[in-house]
Amino acid sequence: MVQEDETGERTDPFVQLSLRQLRERTSMKWRTFPEDVLPLWVAEMDVPLAPAIVEALHRTIDLGDTGYPYGTAYAEAFTEFAFDRWRWNGLRIEHTTIVPDVMMGVVEVLRLITGPGDAVVVCSPVYPPFFAFVTHAGRHVVEAPLGEDLRIDLAALEEAFVRARDHGRRAAFLMSNPHNPTGVAHSREELEAIAELARRHGVRVVSDEIHAPLVLNGASFTPFLSVPGAENAFALTSASKAWNLAGLKAALAIAGAEAADELRHMPEEVGHGPSHLGVIAHTAAFRKGGDWLDEVLLGLDANRRLLGRLVREHLPRARYRPPQSTYLAWLDCTWLGLHDRQGPGVVSDMAGPARMFLDQAGVALSSGHVFGSGGEGCVRLNFATTPDILCDALSRMGRAVRDR
């Protein structure tokens, strides 16, 4: 059941906050750049907090319940959500553990199944921390570039698996499911092929599924652990992206049936990292935030259509494939002839078209070069904002291009 206002109309979370209200926020998205910049970069949504989460947190504060996290309520809530949304009924509570956040969980899982100097395959362009966190953990990144259609190229993936396993090294495939930054929702058939390739080449799969609840109209999400052959894989998830909870740290690591014993070897201190308030908020999101999420998905779908019209109007030469999931749009702006100069994972810098749009349009986007091979000359745009901001931003970007 979706939320309605007193007139019976659907409530779109993306039209409830003004630019003035958003600028009162103190998070990274709204404080990194000067006030005349429209921030469409980091993955935060410009929405009010879901009422179910607000209620849960207020109750927690009123009780003074601010101690250490305990129990399996988070995993239970996610299990119920996964069955309700995706009909995934193979998830077992005892095959889960809480971790501080998805990327910290990824690193800890990689430490369980690989060693220093081993290889981790990624499909670039991909989420920049895949490069930074893996490298900082002493593992070597092997890229398997996406195809021209921005989907996983199975031939390139197999070739990367062979290179990753060279000289008998252990190897893992760190997958973004759905894919960030392209918004591709991998099909069940694609995931089954990936599982078969991984088994054949002795590569362990770690699936980042943080955007799983954000699959938009016309597509569907398949949990990797639900496909045949993925029994020795791991998945990481949280309510962080779908319910805008990045500041309330808590995530779940989930093991396939054959990997459950390995998950039990995760260091005890990892479980002390999640915030008790984070666990409560994420649990409330999965258990009681479904109606609010439905409204978010409707709003994102409307913004996705609006963005398509705005790109055609203001940036007609940009190559843009509407994303099937997430609230992130990938724009190929190589026609501008601007060259990126940094390497993948350098998330603190901008180059190429992102630098131009920031300096000349006052619009902050994520620079494509940090996403690895295939990202040069591209930008990632976060469309989880108000329609007014989206219109203003694309109008500014179009003027900047015309004035070059």
Side-chain angles (χ1 to χ4, degrees):
M1 179 176 179
V2 295
Q3 298 171 2
E4 297 180 346
D5 64 18
E6 60 274 9
T7 67
E9 296 294 322
R10 291 178 184 269
T11 55
D12 183 347
F14 295 101
V15 300
Q16 295 179 19
L17 297 174
S18 67
L19 180 58
R20 179 188 60 78
Q21 290 173 305
L22 290 168
R23 290 206 182 280
E24 293 178 4
R25 293 185 169 182
T26 60
S27 64
M28 179 185 292
K29 179 177 183 179
W30 287 97
R31 292 303 171 102
T32 298
F33 298 99
E35 282 205 359
D36 59 343
V37 171
L38 296 177
L40 302 183
W41 62 298
V42 73
E44 297 180 22
M45 292 197 293
D46 297 338
V47 292
L49 198 57
I53 299 172
V54 173
E55 180 181 351
L57 291 175
H58 275 300
R59 174 174 170 76
T60 300
I61 296 300
D62 289 343
L63 289 173
D65 184 14
T66 53
Y68 297 105
Y70 175 78
T72 60
Y74 188 173
E76 292 164 13
F78 177 72
T79 299
E80 295 162 6
F81 178 88
F83 178 77
D84 180 60
R85 294 275 165 159
W86 312 313
R87 289 299 178 260
W88 183 19
N89 60 7
L91 199 163
R92 296 175 59 180
I93 303 299
E94 61 268 28
H95 293 175
T96 72
T97 190
I98 57 171
V99 292
D101 58 35
V102 164
M103 279 311 301
M104 292 303 296
V106 163
V107 169
E108 293 299 334
V109 167
L110 289 175
R111 286 180 173 141
L112 293 176
I113 60 177
T114 64
D118 286 338
V120 177
V121 176
V122 303
C123 288
S124 54
V126 73
Y127 184 49
F130 277 22
F131 297 95
F133 281 54
V134 167
T135 302
H136 294 161
R139 275 63 175 169
H140 173 64
V141 174
V142 174
E143 293 184 75
L146 298 174
E148 286 293 320
D149 58 358
L150 300 182
R151 305 193 77 89
I152 290 178
D153 182 330
L154 292 174
L157 185 63
E158 182 168 24
E159 192 274 333
F161 284 178
V162 171
R163 283 189 286 130
R165 292 281 287 150
D166 190 34
H167 302 301
R169 293 183 301 183
R170 289 182 293 176
F173 171 37
L174 178 52
M175 176 171 59
S176 181
N177 178 36
H179 196 86
N180 174 4
T182 63
V184 164
H186 308 306
S187 69
R188 175 169 289 275
E189 292 73 22
E190 287 171 319
L191 295 176
E192 288 175 350
I194 290 166
E196 191 279 326
L197 279 179
R199 284 282 188 173
R200 190 194 317 161
H201 292 281
V203 174
R204 304 293 296 279
V205 180
V206 180
S207 186
D208 173 354
E209 301 188 349
I210 197 170
H211 289 280
L214 292 170
V215 173
L216 304 177
N217 185 40
S220 60
F221 171 73
T222 300
F224 184 68
L225 294 182
S226 72
V227 306
E231 294 82 6
N232 69 344
F234 293 86
L236 285 301
T237 194
S238 79
S240 177
K241 299 305 181 201
W243 284 271
N244 211 40
L245 298 175
L248 290 167
K249 294 288 189 180
L252 285 173
I254 309 168
E258 296 174 17
D261 286 342
E262 290 168 305
L263 190 61
R264 295 187 186 101
H265 287 90
M266 186 165 289
E268 180 185 356
E269 61 268 21
V270 176
H272 295 310
S275 157
H276 184 43
L277 291 176
V279 170
I280 289 170
H282 290 245
T283 301
F286 283 124
R287 182 160 285 156
K288 298 182 179 180
D291 289 349
W292 184 88
L293 175 63
D294 290 337
E295 292 296 339
V296 164
L297 293 174
L298 288 172
L300 289 177
D301 193 37
N303 279 5
R304 177 177 59 168
R305 294 194 301 272
L306 172 61
L307 178 61
R309 295 195 296 271
L310 293 171
V311 169
R312 290 192 294 273
E313 177 181 356
H314 298 290
L315 299 172
R317 295 181 64 188
R319 293 177 58 191
Y320 163 63
R321 294 175 184 268
Q324 297 175 305
S325 58
T326 80
Y327 45 77
L328 306 168
W330 188 242
L331 303 179
D332 184 339
C333 300
T334 52
W335 53 275
L336 287 172
L338 301 173
H339 300 291
D340 302 310
R341 293 183 175 84
Q342 300 293 327
V346 186
V347 296
S348 61
D349 196 16
M350 285 195 178
R355 171 55 63 184
M356 188 273 286
F357 287 128
L358 177 62
D359 292 344
Q360 299 181 29
V363 178
L365 308 170
S366 296
S367 188
H369 71 282
V370 301
F371 293 83
S373 299
E376 302 84 359
C378 299
V379 295
R380 191 190 73 174
L381 183 151
N382 175 354
F383 59 89
T385 189
T386 71
D388 287 346
I389 290 175
L390 207 54
C391 289
D392 190 5
L394 269 294
S395 177
R396 293 186 189 191
M397 291 165 67
R399 284 198 301 271
V401 169
R402 292 191 296 272
D403 293 343
R404 287 187 73 234

